[in-house]
Amino acid sequence: MLNIGASYSTLSSADLLEHVVSQYYVDNPISCEFWHRGINDTYKVKSNTESYTLRIYRKDWRTLPQINFEVDALNYLHDKGANISYPVKRLDNEYVTPLNTPEGLRYALVTSFAEGEELSYDDVQDAYIYGVNVADIHSLSAGFSSEHLRFELDHIHLLSEPLEYIRPFLTHRPECWTFMKNFGALLLEVIKDTHHKSVDYGLCHGDFHGWNAHKHKSSNTLTFFDFDCCGYGWRAYDIAVFRWDARLEGKESERWEAFVKGYETKRKISDLDLKLTTAFVAIRDIWLMGLHMCNAEDFGRGFLDDAYIDKRIKFLKTIEEEHFA
């Protein structure tokens, strides 16, 4: 009988309910169900009165200080009245629970559950509403600070590091790497000379792609969740993530215009920030490629094939030809 270790395990819902959820201020929890696997694992916890989200961070994905920064950000926004999924305290008044799993140390966090439904975008009004609510979060985050260290959404995190993760996957396609390297250098030139005083800079969600929010049936209010990619950074990047996803779905013109109109009912977007979103759409796609490739051992390598590379290169070349030729 061989003993084989694990690089990624799915934790027992029953054990999490008994040993982890029981440590939180969750009134009479009755069930814990594995709900979704993304970058991290999400479980839905139900009590007699309400539901909660239990996130299990992947091993080595976030350090404890980085998670505590996220907790601080969520608590700050919640205290300011933002419509977000907010942290639930443990019985010892802490928030994060360390777990000894087959692959090593992982962390758990319980938050309120974002009630409602995903936006459909059958009507561009959904994009408008999304923009309004994103602006609210940006406005309410003014003044936020944390003693806990976390990466910034800067050119290193969004561009330089992802390109290094991508390079080994393009060794068999040197022409593609040459394009990625050169386009990356061009994008860096566009953004590197912007300064915090000349652009909107502050706390960002990091993943405002049009989802990560549930719409309440009785109103146009959204509840946002999944701040795992949050950090200080360019707000132009934060809103460009929405533009990026709309472009991927072939709906950029109508959704982006509606989003901007909604956003500007609450906060003005400067001409410079608006212009920068074009570069940040491309940078977001490069970031995503880097995310997939640096986590290939957990996500799997099978989908990172030539078809995947072709699709991403085509997307980026179209942006280059339209805006940077």
Side-chain angles (χ1 to χ4, degrees):
M1 183 73 71
L2 295 176
N3 292 321
I4 305 297
S7 62
Y8 200 137
S9 63
T10 301
L11 304 186
S12 163
S13 297
D15 283 357
L16 290 171
L17 180 64
E18 180 179 359
H19 300 296
V20 177
V21 177
S22 61
Q23 298 183 37
Y24 286 82
Y25 282 105
V26 175
D27 184 31
N28 191 24
I30 57 177
S31 68
C32 177
E33 300 174 321
F34 183 56
W35 205 249
H36 176 73
R37 172 162 289 140
I39 296 176
N40 304 298
D41 292 341
T42 301
Y43 294 75
K44 186 176 183 179
V45 175
K46 293 182 180 179
S47 73
N48 284 333
T49 56
E50 57 187 304
S51 297
Y52 302 84
T53 297
L54 169 63
R55 175 190 290 165
I56 308 297
Y57 291 85
R58 198 154 44 86
K59 179 181 180 291
D60 296 331
W61 177 242
R62 300 288 185 239
T63 66
L64 184 56
Q66 289 171 351
I67 297 172
N68 281 325
F69 177 101
E70 180 184 349
V71 169
D72 287 347
L74 293 174
N75 279 330
Y76 184 90
L77 288 168
H78 179 58
D79 290 344
K80 293 291 185 179
N83 294 313
I84 62 165
S85 178
Y86 55 87
V88 175
K89 281 187 177 181
R90 289 164 35 117
L91 301 180
D92 61 3
N93 288 324
E94 296 294 329
Y95 289 96
V96 183
T97 302
L99 305 176
N100 183 24
T101 73
E103 60 269 28
L105 177 64
R106 296 175 69 176
Y107 295 104
L109 178 69
V110 174
T111 64
S112 62
F113 189 78
E115 299 292 348
E117 300 176 346
E118 283 191 346
L119 294 87
S120 67
Y121 293 101
D122 292 336
D123 187 330
V124 294
Q125 182 69 11
D126 278 353
Y128 180 90
I129 294 167
Y130 201 92
V132 171
N133 284 265
V134 167
D136 276 337
I137 290 176
H138 283 168
S139 294
L140 292 171
S141 68
F144 168 74
S145 64
S146 174
E147 65 181 13
H148 301 291
L149 295 178
R150 188 174 173 95
F151 53 84
E152 289 192 50
L153 304 181
D154 58 10
H155 66 282
I156 297 173
H157 180 79
L158 297 174
L159 189 57
S160 300
E161 289 178 352
L163 284 170
E164 287 305 307
Y165 298 138
I166 292 167
R167 180 191 288 189
F169 287 81
L170 297 182
T171 54
H172 68 299
R173 298 183 60 170
E175 75 287 353
C176 289
W177 171 244
T178 298
F179 165 75
M180 293 293 295
K181 180 178 64 174
N182 291 341
F183 191 33
L186 186 155
L187 293 168
L188 180 60
E189 285 294 320
V190 172
I191 67 172
K192 75 173 186 178
D193 289 331
T194 61
H195 301 287
H196 296 182
K197 293 182 179 179
S198 62
V199 296
D200 191 4
Y201 191 93
L203 181 66
C204 296
H205 178 281
D207 214 16
F208 279 141
H209 44 51
W211 314 103
N212 283 338
H214 286 164
K215 182 180 178 182
H216 299 214
K217 291 182 179 179
S218 59
S219 69
N220 287 333
T221 302
L222 306 182
T223 299
F224 283 86
F225 53 89
D226 195 0
F227 282 69
D228 179 57
C229 293
C230 74
Y232 297 116
W234 288 281
R235 294 277 175 61
Y237 171 75
D238 220 19
I239 63 175
V241 175
F242 182 90
R243 186 178 184 182
W244 162 81
D245 187 80
R247 185 181 181 97
L248 283 178
E249 297 189 30
K251 302 291 185 179
E252 180 181 8
S253 58
E254 58 264 42
R255 288 188 190 173
W256 176 238
E257 181 180 358
F259 173 92
V260 170
K261 285 182 178 178
Y263 189 98
E264 291 200 312
T265 63
K266 296 295 185 76
R267 300 181 86 245
K268 174 65 178 174
I269 305 174
S270 73
D271 291 341
L272 176 57
D273 282 315
L274 201 57
K275 182 179 180 181
L276 285 172
T277 60
T278 301
F280 280 125
V281 167
I283 289 170
R284 167 65 176 199
D285 210 64
I286 293 170
W287 173 86
L288 184 67
M289 288 180 69
L291 176 77
H292 289 161
M293 291 170 176
C294 78
N295 290 290
E297 295 306 311
D298 287 337
F299 293 171
R301 290 178 172 267
F303 76 102
L304 300 173
D305 55 11
D306 281 328
Y308 173 94
I309 294 169
D310 288 342
K311 184 176 181 179
R312 300 268 61 83
I313 294 293
K314 180 180 180 181
F315 181 83
L316 292 169
K317 281 188 174 181
T318 301
I319 296 175
E320 182 200 37
E321 292 166 0
E322 289 180 1
H323 300 286
F324 299 99

